Amino acid sequence: MKDKLSIGEFAKLRNLTTETLRHYDRIGLLKPIKVDPKTGYRYYSILQYEELGTIKELRELGMSIDEIKKYFDNRNLEQSVNILRDKHEELKNRIKELQQLEESIDEKIKHLEEISKEMNFEDIVIKGIKEREIITFDKSIKNEIDLSYICLKLENELKEIAPIVASNRYGAIIKQKDIELNNYIESLSMFIFIRDRDNIDENHIKKIPKGTYACMYYKGSIWDIGNSLKKMLEYIEEQGYTVCGDALQISQIDISVTDKKEEVLYEIQIPIERNLI
């Protein structure tokens, strides 16, 4: 059995490409034992087999070239253990992040599938809803430019790994006083529901109280709430209720998943209480 192997033969031993070995040579990570001065052919020793295997495994662990060079620099047991321990912590954190992403995507898919099956979009229903927390800057928006800037600011405030795309966590607050004055879009202020308040400025967190809410879906943009809101207010009065707080306008299907205006969907939630007799 021969010791000196061509670059092709050596690459095949570890299922790598010859270009990978040439790259390792150029950056000084794994040098061949000989380079033919006339042909430029690279030759490797079978004794380098383990070193190449270790490089491949460290790359699979996600180590950068610089980290692998450091790993091979004056190696000893303590140094190797410490480097591997650090990489293990990184991997555990990455696994945690991937699990959070998987759970988030799963939740979004289920939400979109369920909401797309909803048939009675114009029905008004009474729901008991638990307390929720939101991030909001209580800043009114007047147009799409305002909307874009405030949504960006809200997302930057939210310290989460998982994306909120396609979720039902975005919404707008309509002040009770503006509902009573029929100025439905005079005080729209955007918010995001939060799940984890860690690292979020407490000054921007607001509680949405639990209670009884009149709820209704409508299709259209965030600005198209007028007719649906009027219908709900008439229903609330007919059923012997009064509005007792700010209304919420929650995005259910938005432009992150569709370009079709007729598919964009919001839910209006208005807190109500029984009229006193």
Side-chain angles (χ1 to χ4, degrees):
M1 300 181 71
K2 62 181 180 179
D3 172 40
K4 192 169 70 173
L5 304 171
S6 70
I7 189 171
E9 293 172 326
F10 193 58
K12 190 176 294 184
L13 291 176
R14 286 294 190 183
N15 295 318
L16 297 171
T17 66
T18 55
E19 180 53 37
T20 296
L21 290 181
R22 291 189 184 95
H23 177 62
Y24 288 168
D25 180 14
R26 287 193 293 268
I27 64 178
L29 182 59
L30 181 65
K31 307 291 286 186
I33 58 169
K34 179 182 178 181
V35 179
D36 190 305
K38 294 181 179 180
T39 63
Y41 289 168
R42 295 171 172 85
Y43 294 95
Y44 293 83
S45 168
I46 188 64
L47 300 178
Q48 293 175 285
Y49 177 82
E50 184 57 37
E51 184 177 0
L52 180 59
T54 301
I55 292 171
K56 183 179 179 181
E57 291 172 357
L58 295 178
R59 290 294 285 162
E60 290 172 349
L61 287 175
M63 280 195 183
S64 67
I65 294 298
D66 287 341
E67 287 174 323
I68 294 174
K69 284 183 177 180
K70 181 179 178 182
Y71 183 86
F72 281 105
D73 185 24
N74 298 317
R75 267 193 302 173
N76 59 65
L77 179 60
E78 181 181 2
Q79 174 180 286
S80 295
V81 169
N82 288 336
I83 291 174
L84 290 174
R85 185 181 290 114
D86 290 342
K87 183 54 61 176
H88 186 212
E89 285 301 313
E90 289 181 21
L91 285 172
K92 288 194 294 185
N93 290 333
R94 182 56 180 159
I95 289 170
K96 182 179 178 180
E97 290 177 0
L98 289 173
Q99 288 174 334
Q100 292 174 350
L101 286 170
E102 189 279 328
E103 291 170 2
S104 177
I105 293 299
D106 181 60
E107 179 182 328
K108 296 178 201 318
I109 291 171
K110 288 177 180 176
H111 165 68
L112 291 173
E113 288 177 340
E114 289 173 3
I115 203 69
S116 64
K117 296 175 183 177
E118 179 66 49
M119 300 298 293
N120 302 316
F121 285 122
E122 296 189 0
D123 287 353
I124 300 171
V125 297
I126 305 298
K127 300 179 184 178
I129 301 179
K130 64 182 181 180
E131 181 183 85
R132 295 161 287 177
E133 288 188 325
I134 61 172
I135 301 174
T136 183
F137 300 108
D138 287 323
K139 184 177 178 60
S140 297
I141 60 170
K142 302 296 183 182
N143 51 50
E144 293 292 334
I145 301 298
D146 291 346
L147 177 62
S148 297
Y149 274 108
I150 198 65
C151 286
L152 179 61
K153 187 176 180 181
L154 284 167
E155 288 187 26
N156 288 338
E157 184 72 16
L158 195 66
K159 310 300 182 184
E160 291 185 11
I161 297 168
I164 62 172
V165 64
S167 68
N168 57 339
R169 296 176 62 191
Y170 260 126
I173 299 171
I174 307 170
K175 299 294 185 182
Q176 182 179 357
K177 63 180 180 62
D178 288 317
I179 296 175
E180 294 168 349
L181 294 172
N182 294 328
N183 294 326
Y184 302 138
I185 59 173
E186 286 301 312
S187 64
L188 287 184
S189 57
M190 298 301 296
F191 70 84
I192 293 179
F193 287 114
I194 60 175
R195 294 170 180 154
D196 186 352
R197 54 171 39 232
D198 289 349
N199 301 317
I200 297 176
D201 188 338
E202 292 285 337
N203 294 321
H204 299 150
I205 297 177
K206 179 178 179 179
K207 292 184 184 296
I208 304 297
K210 69 176 182 179
T212 303
Y213 288 77
C215 304
M216 176 183 170
Y217 295 108
Y218 80 90
K219 291 187 174 182
S221 77
I222 193 172
W223 316 105
D224 298 331
I225 192 174
N227 291 335
S228 298
L229 201 50
K230 288 177 183 178
K231 179 179 176 180
M232 293 182 70
L233 294 175
E234 291 172 0
Y235 174 87
I236 290 169
E237 185 177 358
E238 290 170 0
Q239 297 300 314
Y241 290 98
T242 56
V243 177
C244 62
D246 298 340
L248 304 180
Q249 184 180 0
I250 303 169
S251 175
Q252 299 292 334
I253 299 176
D254 63 21
I255 58 173
S256 68
V257 293
T258 182
D259 289 327
K260 299 182 184 299
K261 183 178 179 180
E262 64 272 17
E263 291 183 337
V264 174
L265 184 70
Y266 285 86
E267 182 184 19
I268 308 169
Q269 296 179 353
I270 304 176
I272 57 176
E273 60 185 7
R274 280 289 184 188
N275 289 329
L276 296 177
I277 300 176

